[in-house]
Amino acid sequence: DAKTTQPNSMESNEEEPVHLPCNHSTISGTDYIHWYRQLPSQGPEYVIHGLTSNVNNRMASLAIAEDRKSSTLILHRATLRDAAVYYCILLTGTASKLTFGTGTRLQVTL
Amino acid sequence: KAGVTQTPRYLIKTRGQQVTLSCSPISGHRSVSWYQQTPGQGLQFLFEYFSETQRNKGNFPGRFSGRQFSNSRSEMNVSTLELGDSALYLCASSLAGRTEAFFGQGTRLTVV
């Protein structure tokens, strides 16, 4: 599986936008970029995924670099409930095995 | 729509015993995957079942096994428990052909 690199931790103020980066320089043409998050004492939760174009859903936006070697998960207005570990994962086609790295621990403060 | 249900939520077992964990996927989901989460190793893939067949397997010893029933419910079994098997065991289900996985809250296993 191609590897992703994320910062260990980030901080944000509540109601501010948050940009969570992910580097995946060895991504292949068939790899989808998936984001999951894990809130304290919960199982991981699917956030968003994309292949080449930027994607939006009710939870977040995913901005994918033109060369696909990096991507950014954007939370438009962080709330305290967004404090979680965010994982960026590459997945080929309809494969279902998720390879979790260490993720980015997001802290949101008032 | 009910989410992924895992039972029991908490379990304490003694070294050498065996344990069975259960997972009921979201209705209509035929793929069920299992993960182990520990502070040291993070989230690691155990295995995936689809239509009662193991489709993918992680790098775990043979003491870890699973199965899936015709109603898509799945069980995982760990035999000859070791202290290092203490972990949060998570189950995830997904629709055939879709990659979004939906996780349960997990079963916290403590081996003493």
Side-chain angles (χ1 to χ4, degrees), chain B residues 1-58:
Chain B
K1 198 175 188 181
V4 176
T5 305
Q6 291 188 246
T7 56
R9 290 292 312 280
Y10 302 92
L11 207 47
I12 300 174
K13 288 286 190 178
T14 305
R15 267 182 305 175
Q17 286 187 310
Q18 67 128 23
V19 68
T20 300
L21 311 182
S22 180
C23 172
S24 293
I26 292 172
S27 177
H29 287 197
R30 290 161 60 194
S31 169
V32 174
S33 298
W34 288 88
Y35 294 81
Q36 181 197 63
Q37 185 170 29
T38 60
Q41 299 296 320
L43 272 154
Q44 293 186 285
F45 173 81
L46 278 155
F47 29 65
E48 182 213 356
Y49 285 86
F50 182 82
S51 292
E52 301 179 66
T53 302
Q54 188 178 88
R55 189 159 72 168
N56 212 338
K57 190 177 190 306

Side-chain angles (χ1 to χ4, degrees), chain A residues 48-99:
Chain A
I48 199 166
H49 79 278
L51 183 63
T52 56
S53 308
N54 294 345
V55 185
N56 300 295
N57 66 20
R58 64 173 180 81
M59 287 180 73
S61 295
L62 177 59
I64 301 171
E66 207 168 318
D67 63 6
R68 300 211 324 126
K69 292 185 187 298
S70 66
S71 61
T72 302
L73 179 71
I74 302 165
L75 306 179
H76 296 286
R77 286 179 66 205
T79 69
L80 295 176
R81 286 177 297 177
D82 291 320
V85 179
Y86 286 78
Y87 298 96
C88 169
I89 299 167
L90 301 183
L91 213 52
T92 302
T94 57
S96 53
K97 173 187 171 185
L98 296 170
T99 301

Side-chain angles (χ1 to χ4, degrees), chain A:
Chain A
D1 298 322
K3 191 173 163 51
T4 63
T5 304
Q6 300 177 252
N8 286 335
S9 62
M10 289 184 67
E11 278 186 34
S12 172
N13 294 321
E14 203 179 18
E15 312 260 319
E16 297 289 320
V18 181
H19 290 230
L20 296 161
C22 180
N23 286 321
H24 29 77
S25 57
T26 59
I27 191 170
S28 74
T30 54
D31 283 338
Y32 284 76
I33 302 157
H34 283 246
W35 284 81
Y36 281 78
R37 71 180 186 180
Q38 188 172 20
L39 280 66
S41 304
Q42 306 263 343
E45 174 186 31
Y46 167 81
V47 177
I48 199 166
H49 79 278
L51 183 63
T52 56
S53 308
N54 294 345
V55 185
N56 300 295
N57 66 20
R58 64 173 180 81
M59 287 180 73
S61 295
L62 177 59
I64 301 171
E66 207 168 318
D67 63 6
R68 300 211 324 126
K69 292 185 187 298
S70 66
S71 61
T72 302
L73 179 71
I74 302 165
L75 306 179
H76 296 286
R77 286 179 66 205
T79 69
L80 295 176
R81 286 177 297 177
D82 291 320
V85 179
Y86 286 78
Y87 298 96
C88 169
I89 299 167
L90 301 183
L91 213 52
T92 302
T94 57
S96 53
K97 173 187 171 185
L98 296 170
T99 301
F100 290 85
T102 52
T104 296
R105 183 173 297 279
L106 175 67
Q107 262 187 295
V108 180
T109 53
L110 292 168

